[in-house]
Amino acid sequence: MILTYLGQETFKIQFGDLTIALNPPSKDSSFKTGKFGADVVLQSIIHEDMNGGKDYSYGEREPFVISGPGEYETKGVFVRGVEGESNYDGEKRINTIYSFTVDGISMLFLGAQSGPLPTTISEIIDTVDLLFIPIGGNGVYDAKEAYKIAMNLEPKIIVPMHFKDVKDDSLKAFLKEASETSVEPLDKLTIKRKDVEGKEGEVVVLIPQS
């Protein structure tokens, strides 16, 4: 599985012929990412910065867009979502937290979450191999909140998101909270099931590629 960070909260996940996009911006957003086709799109909130899934078609194939709580199965991927909350862009919104598994790696995508985790999150997770968590504040978790939440979830690997670049103060603050100030940022993460075994809260920083 190959994981690429495209900035803000947008990720491209590739496994064989399958491509999954997380919170891609729409054409109306000021955030721009390299265009690519996706088979499955997960959108956590209704906002132009994170709900551009319909724009990620390619050829005659249209992405299966998931944009709310519930259970979904497509392209061999089972996705479960529960309702959280966000104050992104200064407005209270429903934020869907998603759990899904690719190549035996269980992932939890918190999206633009800003409040306490919903009690229903226990219904969609057992163990968390890879956690995507926002750290930038301004309507989502700030660095201190994010690290506390991450530790409560006990993931094997933590992937911070919602920061501008690797020099961003919010990223520096998060790494300081995690005592991981020597982390070497990566252009992309290539990972297999065996790579997560034995890890406990390891932080992986991906360089925004947009």
Side-chain angles (χ1 to χ4, degrees):
M1 182 174 69
I2 301 172
L3 182 65
T4 307
Y5 181 40
L6 299 173
Q8 186 68 347
E9 294 191 2
T10 307
F11 290 87
K12 179 181 180 182
I13 299 172
Q14 297 168 280
F15 177 62
D17 294 331
L18 176 71
T19 299
I20 300 173
L22 307 180
N23 273 4
S26 74
K27 294 177 181 178
D28 297 324
S29 173
S30 61
F31 294 101
K32 304 299 178 184
T33 66
K35 297 302 294 180
F36 62 92
D39 299 292
V40 183
V41 177
L42 306 186
Q43 302 176 163
S44 69
I45 64 172
I46 299 175
H47 188 285
E48 60 265 24
D49 290 347
M50 303 180 198
N51 69 342
K54 61 183 177 61
D55 299 326
Y56 287 73
S57 60
Y58 58 112
E60 297 181 355
R61 300 176 70 178
E62 294 289 331
F64 186 85
V65 179
I66 298 172
S67 57
E71 295 187 351
Y72 311 83
E73 187 170 7
T74 183
K75 308 291 183 181
V77 180
F78 184 62
V79 179
R80 292 180 292 181
V82 294
E83 182 178 320
E85 63 181 74
S86 176
N87 289 310
Y88 179 69
D89 206 19
E91 182 178 332
K92 188 172 182 178
R93 309 168 191 273
I94 292 174
N95 175 69
T96 304
I97 296 170
Y98 294 106
S99 171
F100 60 103
T101 300
V102 176
D103 194 23
I105 299 173
S106 62
M107 290 175 269
L108 186 66
F109 181 69
L110 295 189
Q113 183 70 12
S114 62
L117 292 178
T119 56
T120 50
I121 198 168
S122 61
E123 299 173 5
I124 67 168
I125 62 170
D126 182 12
T127 59
V128 179
D129 293 324
L130 201 156
L131 172 68
F132 300 89
I133 189 164
I135 64 168
N138 294 321
V140 302
Y141 293 137
D142 61 25
K144 188 172 184 178
E145 292 170 325
Y147 186 67
K148 182 177 180 180
I149 291 291
M151 289 299 94
N152 287 338
L153 291 169
E154 300 182 337
K156 292 181 172 64
I157 296 175
I158 303 168
V159 179
M161 61 183 182
H162 207 111
F163 59 89
K164 184 177 180 180
D165 54 44
V166 294
K167 296 181 180 179
D168 194 306
D169 288 341
S170 61
L171 178 59
K172 293 178 182 178
F174 182 78
L175 294 175
K176 184 177 180 180
E177 290 286 335
S179 300
E180 294 272 12
T181 53
S182 61
V183 170
E184 185 70 28
L186 305 173
D187 286 329
K188 61 181 62 177
L189 175 65
T190 301
I191 189 169
K192 296 181 179 180
R193 173 67 217 175
K194 64 180 182 179
D195 298 325
V196 304
E197 299 297 342
K199 296 188 183 297
E200 295 182 5
E202 179 178 309
V203 178
V204 172
V205 174
L206 295 176
I207 302 169
Q209 298 299 305
S210 59

